[in-house]
Amino acid sequence: MSEQFEPKIVAFVCNWCTYAGADLAGTSRTKYATNVSIIRFPCTGRIDFMLLMKAFENGADGIIVSGCHPNDCHYTSGNFHARRRWIVFRSLLDFMGFDTDRITFSWVSAAEGTKWASLVDETTEKIRAKGTFTEFKKLDYSTLEKLSNDAITK
Amino acid sequence: MARIGVFICHCGENISATVDVAKVAEKAGKLSGVAFSVDYKYMCSDPGQTLIIESIKEHKLTGIVVAACSPRMHEGTFRKAAEKAGINPYLCEMANIREQVSWVHPKSDATTQKALDIVRTLVEKVKKNVALFPIKVPVTKTALVIGGGIAGIQSALDIANAGHKVIMVEKKPSIGGHMSQLSETFPTLDCSQCILTPRMVEVAQHPNIELLTYAEVESVSGFVGNFDVKIRMKAKSVDMKKCTGCGACSQKCPTKKIPDEFNEGMGFRTAIYSPFPQAVPNKPVIDRDHCTWFTKGGKCGLCKKICPTGAIDYETQDEFRDVKVGAIITATGFDLKHADFFPEYGYGQFKDVIDGMQFERLASASGPTSGEIRRPSDGKIPEKIVFVACAGSRDKAKGIEYCSKICCMYTAKHAMLYKHKNHEGKAYVFYMDIRAAGKNYDEFVRRAIEDDDVNYIRGRVSRIYEKNGKLIVKGVDTLMNSEPVEIEADMVVLATAVVANIGAESLAQKLHISYDQHHFFSEAHPKLKPVETNTAGIMLAGACQSAKDIPESVSQASASASKAIGLFSSDELTREPIVAVVNRQAPPNFTSCTGCLLCMEVCPYHAIEKEEIKDRAGNLIKVAAHVNAGLCQGCGTCVAMCRNKSIDIQGFSNDQMMSEVMALLNS
Amino acid sequence: MRIGYYPGCSLEGSSKEYNDSLFAVAEKCNITLEEIKDWSCCGASAAHNLNHDLAIALPARTFALAEKQGLTEIVVPCAACYSRMATSKNEISSNVATRQKIEKFIDLKLSADVKILTVFEFLQKYIFPVVDEHIVNKLNQKAACYYGCLYSRPKEIAAIEQIENPMEMDVVIAKAGATPIDWAFKTECCGAGLSVSRTDIVAKLSGKILEDAADRGAESIIVACPMCHMNLDMRRPEIKKQLNKDINIPVLFITQALGLSMGISAEQLGMNKHYVPTEQVVNCMVKLEA
């Protein structure tokens, strides 16, 4: 058990529903895996999906994006925009050969503490099975610099 | 140079039982930019807050992170403490290590590490926090009350009596709403019009209230404290200033057979009419859909000839009024579910199957039968009446799952009124449950059963059909071994479901307020904010929010009024500064915004406007977006939409969110 | 155009006249009904009382066989068979897992896309467009159309539009020149399967139905269900005893009534197979001018 791969998962959630739902899981003392850490946004509509890429670049193995159920958005329509963005983004990632299964898009309401806990556990196991995220390759600036210098001097 | 203070709370044992708080405080102290780090048993307590305040002063902290419970719990508390210590309250952030760490994970290194990760994340965020100052917007101290029923009347009087102006808009020719149609009210059996009409008159005569009847809201724009409302005043065809309410016109009007709305179709009215004798204003209007002058190209014209003051004017058109108000109260009330909905009961098919409001009109002394309960089919007095409670309500198959709240009480009232007028008559009530939870309500129902001999049968009615002039009611008595019961009734009264007013959806869309699948308007929070909507400045009163009786409508109306009065209590409105801002730069750029206005399209609050940046001569330099801070609710959808990151949200800025992501993953 | 046909057990046995009259009407209009090869029991009331999966699988087998035969539509005249088939199709179509499970049970490929038609849907869709030239008689009497329970419940599979006051058969009987009456017992229970075990209850319930029809001047009762027919027709002696009234209104199948108006002989329509004599209907008929 001690040498098991522990995935690092970042959750981008909205303040009014999922964050509150996670709080409810806490108040209810529901236990779940430690692998997911939450970053709070006012609304899923606020989430710039490039932040997801940044997370993967910096060592995240998996991501959860979660907000209010459609029609329940505290700001009326933010979650609709998030959903549309996700559909387009996912299609782009797919095209790029990225394993879109590493990103879980969900709706968790402020009353769904147990759902949050299940979501965390299920996602943790799913990412654990996939292993560390290694596909992202950082640009090696020194190589790039050398290549460009070579091109200039040639 | 950042000097961040980190305060780790034990929360008694709640956090310290599973998280090694001392270790977290120690490691946090070593983070770059952290000038001070400490742990304490109860950070939100008086000594805890004092510790924070003293530390801020002593260590000259430029920002603080309190690692404790959820910010939804105590963010306000610690922000106030920061303010007391002399730094801007928005330089304080909370790290949630209780609800989202200590309470959900076992005691372990991983748990402590997670707490530290989260503290580190918020430390990086707070380094990018800027001082924010509450936003002030001016307030127009006039309220708009939409709907002139008992709820609207109560709200209007409360606000007017507090010294503010009120504009009341009512779509019918008279105010009074459904309460004016009632005969008596439960649980006192007070004459409804007797208690209502003095209020109606008070509204009409109040110096602070402007009453616009036969009018509707056409459009609404603006924001709390500063709404722009366009009102359509429908053409009455009668000059209200000249009309004295003598009534000669309706007496002489030859079109006498129009089904009367006030009497729920049980009687008739004329084309030029005042809905009921105590109408306020008691001046008639012409129903252009049925008036001969309008339907037959200028024929008749009797009322105009007869009118002693020359008040009739067929040429009047709808007029529009633009008004500025600071608060809006919706009090548009309810309707009853009608007709085709109950084919199994023959409602709409058999004349003697009527609904509760129609019975109310029969019972009313000013109704079509002068207060005698008579069968609509042949005018005879019914010897047996069956009342069917829960007709449509609490029925998933009919799509109305909720309870309509008022029917158990008014059914008991109807049965009692019938028995009072017909001692020998037999009254039966088929019910599922009896919901009589108000003050003196249960006693009222008991009276019906014990004093007035009303037969209560617990069971539903499956079918009603007509045979030989009688209505055969087929039901069941579940308290008698589920025996089928068949009653040959002379009349059946259905307590049909309370539904939202027919124009509710379109009004809600005009106001940009939320509504549920039944078109009842949504309150901001079902428990703690029952009279506000999610749209600042718009309040709800009465049955437009959900089915309720008169005392509750009046209470809610006064509550809404108090919200409006609170809004008007200062000349300026203060709002949370977590809003979006479009950047401004020095000339010649002025802003990196290209004026694509995509943000404007997605803002749910219409808070973004087009701004024309001009030079001193008035020449247009560029078009950019501009956020109205008074209206912005801080969702950030615009920020994510912006293609070149020209709009950002203070409190959840691009920089802050990026710092959080980087900090979380890099230790 | 190939139209499949599922008779079920009743139409081959106790209600053979329903089968015969349906074929006679179709034949006169040059429409062929293709019986599903190797069809088996729909499960009726027995299956769903015992085992849910069995109740879904039995009709599913019929669908699978129909699909194998290349049929896209099947006519199911018996109300009970129709109800079981519609229920099964509803469950299979709405849940992929159920369909896969049932497919394993019946060991046949199953898509459940086949469309199931009631007898009145069949008459409206295929017979009505071509029947006018065949109508030679007018039935010339008041008829009470009795729909029974299975066509109107549950809501999810109801075969009729106005559940509280169906008109599908009324429309057909009007075409046959009869006057459909408005009455209160169109969808009330006749006693159904209690016909054997508690005939007294059937006598009471079916008695109420007959009484209302008779009170409103009906001269015949029209049905589209073998069970309804049995209770209203075969149990007439018990009903008469229960009501202490001599009601002699005959009970016809919808296809028999339509067939009579099309000039098909009473023998071919199986009119002699009823318990309550039906001559009155034939005698009431009026020949239409050419």
Side-chain angles (χ1 to χ4, degrees):
Chain A
M1 239 14 228
S2 52
E3 287 319 310
Q4 203 185 167
F5 160 58
E6 290 299 340
K8 262 185 150 168
I9 301 170
V10 182
F12 294 77
V13 310
C14 82
N15 175 60
W16 301 94
C17 284
T18 306
Y19 195 89
D23 277 353
L24 178 61
T27 328
S28 318
R29 313 292 196 274
T30 318
K31 303 281 181 270
Y32 52 84
T34 54
N35 307 64
V36 175
S37 294
I38 287 180
I39 294 185
R40 183 168 72 122
F41 286 79
C43 177
T44 46
R46 167 70 187 88
I47 303 173
D48 185 335
F49 279 52
M50 289 318 291
L51 275 176
L52 272 62
M53 291 288 89
K54 269 292 171 209
F56 281 117
E57 180 186 357
N58 283 279
D61 299 305
I63 287 180
I64 296 176
V65 176
S66 179
C68 305
H69 288 264
N71 284 319
D72 291 348
C73 177
H74 177 86
Y75 302 101
T76 328
S77 51
N79 58 355
F80 290 143
H81 290 290
R83 181 168 62 177
R84 284 173 220 158
R85 236 175 260 150
W86 168 234
I87 291 171
V88 175
F89 192 65
R90 181 178 58 190
S91 158
L92 174 66
L93 287 180
D94 214 15
F95 178 75
M96 283 164 42
F98 188 95
D99 181 2
T100 53
D101 253 355
R102 284 190 182 268
I103 305 174
T104 306
F105 196 92
S106 177
W107 310 122
V108 174
S109 82
E112 291 175 321
T114 9
K115 185 174 177 190
W116 172 249
S118 311
L119 182 65
V120 168
D121 283 338
E122 279 161 21
T123 311
T124 304
E125 285 321 300
K126 181 166 76 168
I127 305 297
R128 196 196 302 278
K130 286 187 186 290
T132 326
F133 177 66
T134 54
E135 284 89 351
F136 195 101
K137 290 167 178 42
K138 271 196 171 113
L139 271 178
D140 181 357
Y141 287 99
S142 59
T143 310
L144 188 63
E145 200 174 28
K146 185 173 177 305
L147 285 170
S148 92
N149 282 340
D150 288 351
I152 293 170
T153 52
K154 267 214 181 79
Chain B
M1 191 57 240
R3 294 181 60 77
I4 309 295
V6 178
F7 299 85
I8 316 283
C9 183
H10 296 214
C11 193
E13 284 243 310
N14 284 305
I15 297 179
S16 53
T18 51
V19 172
D20 185 345
V21 284
K23 193 161 178 195
V24 176
E26 189 214 319
K27 292 215 158 170
K30 298 207 179 91
L31 293 171
S32 125
V34 173
F36 176 72
S37 176
V38 73
D39 60 281
Y40 183 69
K41 245 192 157 53
Y42 296 104
M43 217 46 97
C44 58
S45 66
D46 251 355
Q49 293 194 44
T50 308
L51 170 62
I52 294 177
I53 294 170
E54 297 300 298
S55 308
I56 291 176
K57 290 186 184 149
E58 194 189 317
H59 297 274
K60 296 192 183 17
L61 302 176
T62 57
I64 61 170
V65 173
V66 180
C69 51
S70 171
R72 293 171 67 90
M73 192 91 212
H74 274 308
E75 190 175 66
T77 314
F78 295 117
R79 282 194 170 159
K80 278 204 191 73
E83 201 171 19
K84 278 204 197 104
I87 62 172
N88 185 286
Y90 294 92
L91 297 171
C92 159
E93 289 281 345
M94 279 193 73
N96 186 337
I97 60 170
R98 188 183 72 170
E99 279 86 337
Q100 294 181 3
V101 182
S102 72
W103 272 351
V104 293
H105 301 316
K107 185 177 163 94
S108 73
D109 288 336
T111 305
T112 302
Q113 181 59 45
K114 182 170 172 178
L116 182 59
D117 287 342
I118 291 179
V119 169
R120 187 179 62 240
T121 305
L122 271 310
V123 164
E124 287 310 306
K125 181 187 187 188
V126 93
K127 282 183 191 169
K128 306 266 165 80
N129 277 27
V130 293
L132 298 176
F133 302 92
I135 298 161
K136 295 209 188 279
V137 290
V139 180
T140 308
K141 296 188 192 187
T142 302
L144 174 71
V145 174
I146 309 177
I150 184 63
I153 288 171
Q154 182 65 45
S155 269
L157 287 173
D158 282 345
I159 298 173
N161 285 336
H164 303 294
K165 294 242 173 301
V166 178
I167 299 173
M168 180 185 274
V169 172
E170 164 56 55
K171 71 179 179 199
K172 295 215 163 75
S174 166
I175 54 175
H178 283 304
M179 189 174 169
S180 62
Q181 292 175 287
L182 303 181
S183 169
E184 276 98 336
T185 55
F186 56 76
T188 48
L189 291 184
D190 266 320
C191 152
S192 180
Q193 294 218 357
C194 306
I195 54 178
L196 176 65
T197 44
R199 294 286 182 91
M200 287 163 61
V201 173
E202 216 186 316
V203 165
Q205 295 180 341
H206 204 293
N208 280 344
I209 301 180
E210 189 183 350
L211 181 54
L212 302 171
T213 53
Y214 215 49
E216 292 186 49
V217 169
E218 185 80 2
S219 69
V220 176
S221 64
F223 55 99
V224 59
N226 300 276
F227 290 108
D228 288 302
V229 183
K230 195 187 225 40
I231 300 172
R232 174 193 289 267
M233 327 242 291
K234 300 190 292 206
K236 292 181 179 175
S237 315
V238 175
D239 187 334
M240 291 285 132
K241 292 198 190 67
K242 293 188 181 153
C243 173
T244 58
C246 71
C249 49
S250 29
Q251 295 229 345
K252 290 291 186 216
C253 177
T255 314
K256 292 185 191 300
K257 288 288 180 184
I258 304 167
D260 185 351
E261 295 89 350
F262 187 77
N263 281 316
E264 298 290 325
M266 311 275 281
F268 299 107
R269 62 162 170 82
T270 47
I272 183 166
Y273 73 107
S274 191
F276 56 102
Q278 298 83 7
V280 167
N282 199 353
K283 298 180 180 175
V285 302
I286 294 183
D287 170 9
R288 293 188 172 187
D289 292 331
H290 292 102
C291 166
T292 311
W293 177 274
F294 293 98
T295 57
K296 295 219 165 70
K299 295 221 169 75
C300 185
L302 249 177
C303 53
K304 186 166 182 175
K305 294 180 195 132
I306 286 258
C307 176
T309 59
I312 314 270
D313 181 359
Y314 302 119
E315 309 303 319
T316 54
Q317 299 293 319
D318 286 359
E319 267 175 42
F320 290 94
R321 266 282 294 276
D322 286 312
V323 299
K324 283 199 179 314
V325 299
I328 300 177
I329 299 189
T330 61
T332 48
F334 69 98
D335 270 337
L336 284 184
K337 194 75 188 181
H338 286 304
D340 310 337
F341 205 59
F342 304 100
E344 67 273 32
Y345 294 158
Y347 180 46
Q349 201 189 340
F350 305 137
K351 280 191 134 150
D352 298 322
V353 176
I354 59 177
D355 66 39
M357 196 54 92
Q358 288 173 315
F359 185 88
E360 203 73 48
R361 293 315 303 149
L362 289 177
S364 170
S366 61
T369 55
S370 307
E372 294 191 337
I373 312 292
R374 289 183 178 279
R375 285 161 40 109
S377 60
D378 55 13
K380 292 209 178 95
I381 295 187
E383 285 165 14
K384 251 190 221 167
I385 301 189
V386 167
F387 297 88
V388 179
C390 289
S393 311
R394 305 179 62 193
D395 195 337
K396 215 169 181 177
K398 291 241 184 256
I400 297 183
E401 293 179 29
Y402 55 84
C403 166
S404 291
K405 201 155 192 190
I406 55 177
C407 336
C408 282
M409 286 304 290
Y410 77 61
T411 297
K413 176 183 72 168
H414 288 169
M416 283 164 76
L417 290 178
Y418 168 66
K419 289 290 289 185
H420 291 175
K421 294 173 201 265
N422 301 279
H423 299 293
E424 303 305 309
K426 287 228 168 294
Y428 300 88
V429 176
F430 279 93
Y431 73 100
M432 294 211 285
D433 293 289
I434 298 183
R435 290 170 171 194
K439 189 164 180 176
N440 291 319
Y441 281 20
D442 206 79
E443 298 90 315
F444 182 76
V445 179
R446 286 275 119 215
R447 262 177 68 189
I449 299 172
E450 287 167 14
D451 294 348
D452 292 318
D453 206 25
V454 176
N455 284 294
Y456 269 73
I457 305 173
R458 187 180 176 277
R460 299 194 66 187
V461 171
S462 67
R463 228 193 134 86
I464 298 176
Y465 61 91
E466 223 174 27
K467 196 137 185 201
N468 302 328
K470 293 252 185 212
L471 294 162
I472 314 295
V473 178
K474 289 174 73 163
V476 64
D477 190 342
T478 58
L479 295 177
M480 286 288 267
N481 224 12
S482 293
E483 279 248 346
V485 172
E486 228 173 75
I487 301 180
E488 271 185 27
D490 297 305
M491 186 190 260
V492 172
V493 183
L494 304 176
T496 58
V498 164
V499 294
N501 203 299
I502 200 160
E505 189 181 24
S506 88
L507 179 65
Q509 288 167 349
K510 283 182 187 150
L511 294 171
H512 307 297
I513 58 176
S514 319
Y515 54 97
D516 65 21
Q517 80 265 44
H518 300 290
H519 295 182
F520 286 113
F521 300 151
S522 303
E523 62 288 329
H525 189 279
K527 286 283 199 190
L528 299 177
K529 289 191 174 173
V531 305
E532 296 155 276
T533 58
N534 270 328
T535 309
I538 303 186
M539 273 69 78
L540 306 171
C544 62
Q545 184 239 351
S546 71
K548 54 176 66 74
D549 55 26
I550 292 167
E552 286 174 340
S553 297
V554 170
S555 308
Q556 202 181 29
S558 288
S560 294
S562 81
K563 297 286 176 196
I565 294 167
L567 216 61
F568 297 163
S569 61
S570 51
D571 293 326
E572 281 184 327
L573 213 60
T574 305
R575 301 195 57 239
E576 272 267 309
I578 313 265
V579 293
V581 178
V582 180
N583 72 29
R584 285 289 181 266
Q585 302 166 356
N589 287 331
F590 294 96
T591 171
S592 64
C593 169
T594 59
C596 77
L597 301 179
L598 201 59
C599 52
M600 190 166 97
E601 282 179 40
V602 302
C603 176
Y605 301 96
H606 305 274
I608 303 184
E609 337 166 296
K610 195 168 82 167
E611 183 183 18
E612 292 179 334
I613 300 179
K614 299 192 168 123
D615 67 17
R616 265 187 243 265
N619 302 314
L620 182 64
I621 301 174
K622 80 192 305 188
V623 168
H626 178 259
V627 180
N628 180 334
L631 202 49
C632 173
Q633 301 284 323
C635 71
T637 306
C638 53
V639 177
M641 270 303 178
C642 183
R643 295 176 294 195
N644 69 353
K645 302 290 160 229
S646 300
I647 188 169
D648 210 348
I649 193 159
Q650 307 173 112
F652 290 95
S653 69
N654 287 316
D655 223 359
Q656 285 170 310
M657 301 324 291
M658 172 75 94
S659 306
E660 283 197 64
V661 172
M662 301 292 273
L664 182 60
L665 293 160
N666 297 301
S667 42
Chain C
M1 185 69 250
R2 296 169 64 203
I3 309 166
Y5 180 60
Y6 177 82
C9 58
S10 305
L11 269 77
E12 299 222 314
S14 58
S15 301
K16 188 105 183 12
E17 64 275 17
Y18 191 6
N19 179 74
D20 293 345
S21 55
L22 174 64
F23 269 85
V25 166
E27 200 177 38
K28 194 108 197 205
C29 296
N30 282 321
I31 299 204
T32 319
L33 293 169
E34 202 181 310
E35 195 170 316
I36 299 170
K37 292 193 185 49
D38 196 30
W39 63 264
S40 46
C41 173
C42 71
S45 10
H48 74 74
N49 263 311
L50 292 172
N51 182 302
H52 182 81
D53 288 332
L54 179 66
I56 304 300
L58 282 168
R61 183 175 178 276
T62 303
F63 300 147
L65 291 171
E67 284 161 39
K68 200 156 117 182
Q69 213 168 309
L71 299 163
T72 52
E73 269 184 339
I74 54 175
V75 182
V76 184
C78 167
C81 301
Y82 177 82
S83 177
R84 295 318 309 158
M85 298 238 169
T87 305
S88 173
K89 182 176 156 126
N90 191 30
E91 283 217 20
I92 295 172
S93 315
S94 56
N95 191 324
V96 174
T98 308
R99 187 184 63 75
Q100 288 169 339
K101 177 172 69 165
I102 300 295
E103 212 172 25
K104 278 205 189 77
F105 281 158
I106 60 175
D107 202 21
L108 286 166
K109 206 170 156 322
L110 173 70
S111 75
D113 285 334
V114 64
K115 201 165 175 327
I116 315 166
L117 300 174
T118 56
V119 71
F120 22 87
E121 277 172 316
F122 165 73
L123 292 174
Q124 278 268 358
K125 187 170 178 186
Y126 291 106
I127 303 297
F128 266 38
V130 297
V131 82
D132 283 337
E133 48 169 324
H134 300 290
I135 306 277
V136 295
N137 295 322
K138 191 171 128 129
L139 282 185
N140 207 34
Q141 60 174 216
K142 288 207 183 111
C145 292
Y146 177 65
Y147 294 78
C149 62
L150 290 170
Y151 286 123
S152 54
R153 313 159 173 60
K155 194 164 65 114
E156 289 75 25
I157 59 162
I160 53 191
E161 226 184 278
Q162 288 171 228
I163 295 187
E164 299 291 344
N165 184 18
M167 297 298 274
E168 280 78 358
M169 279 205 281
D170 295 50
V171 160
V172 176
I173 214 67
K175 182 72 97 169
T179 312
I181 61 164
D182 182 25
W183 60 308
F185 279 72
K186 274 184 173 178
T187 54
E188 300 302 295
C189 177
C190 67
L194 294 173
S195 193
V196 176
S197 48
R198 288 291 302 271
T199 319
D200 59 312
I201 292 182
V202 166
K204 236 197 233 162
L205 293 174
S206 290
K208 282 196 180 162
I209 295 168
L210 272 169
E211 197 174 30
D212 192 68
D215 283 348
R216 294 177 200 259
E219 293 162 273
S220 55
I221 306 215
I222 314 294
V223 299
C225 164
M227 183 89 261
C228 305
H229 192 276
M230 183 184 293
N231 283 344
L232 291 168
D233 180 61
M234 194 173 96
R235 299 293 178 204
R236 191 61 63 92
E238 287 87 347
I239 293 174
K240 284 192 193 171
K241 204 150 118 211
Q242 164 73 25
L243 290 175
N244 201 14
K245 277 193 193 157
D246 203 21
I247 302 182
N248 294 305
I249 307 174
V251 187
L252 269 64
F253 282 104
I254 183 79
T255 39
Q256 290 179 314
L258 186 61
L260 281 176
S261 76
M262 288 162 75
I264 304 172
S265 75
E267 281 78 21
Q268 203 184 348
L269 294 171
M271 300 286 282
N272 57 335
K273 292 214 167 68
H274 297 332
Y275 280 76
V276 178
T278 56
E279 283 81 18
Q280 163 263 106
V281 180
V282 179
N283 295 339
C284 240
M285 278 198 309
V286 164
K287 218 175 163 72
L288 288 170
E289 326 289 280

